[in-house]
Amino acid sequence: MCDIYASTEPALYEAVSRSIRLNGQVTSLRLERRFWTLLDQLAHQEQLSTPQFISTLYLEVLQRRGEIQNFASLLRVICTEYASRQASTMQEEVAELH
């Protein structure tokens, strides 16, 4: 079983930094390439560029919570939520076919 995960392509978990403007300030976010891919998909789904999506998300979280402890971790969790929802949707669609 572990071979499925152990054989993951190293490029997917390579850390990649991108400069993003958050709340008027340029900052650097460092995430694994796979998370950037998911964020790109999320942004595309919302008809925004990835920087626009991340900036909007940042401002919305600030409005709801007043602060963000670890924004990179939040982005990773958001990506896993997105992937889980995508998988659930696919399972529902397959179930409807049977």
Side-chain angles (χ1 to χ4, degrees):
M1 174 186 80
C2 289
D3 188 54
I4 294 169
Y5 305 109
S7 63
T8 299
E9 181 62 38
L12 293 176
Y13 57 86
E14 175 187 13
V16 176
S17 295
R18 290 192 190 176
S19 292
I20 304 281
R21 185 175 297 277
L22 295 176
N23 211 15
Q25 295 185 335
V26 176
T27 189
S28 180
L29 286 172
R30 188 171 176 88
L31 299 171
E32 293 74 15
R33 187 177 307 280
R34 181 66 177 130
F35 290 115
W36 283 118
T37 299
L38 290 170
L39 287 169
D40 291 341
Q41 289 173 7
L42 273 162
H44 179 76
Q45 195 172 29
E46 295 295 322
Q47 299 179 347
L48 297 169
S49 69
T50 302
Q52 288 171 328
F53 175 78
I54 291 172
S55 181
T56 300
L57 178 65
Y58 181 83
L59 292 174
E60 288 179 4
V61 173
L62 277 180
Q63 288 174 351
R64 287 177 179 246
R65 299 207 172 39
E67 66 176 328
I68 301 173
Q69 294 291 328
N70 187 334
F71 191 57
S73 291
L74 174 63
L75 291 174
R76 288 183 187 94
V77 170
I78 287 167
C79 287
T80 62
E81 285 295 315
Y82 171 71
S84 292
R85 289 180 184 176
Q86 293 292 95
S88 292
T89 300
M90 281 198 259
Q91 286 176 346
E92 291 170 7
E93 290 172 359
V94 168
E96 288 175 7
L97 293 174
H98 296 288

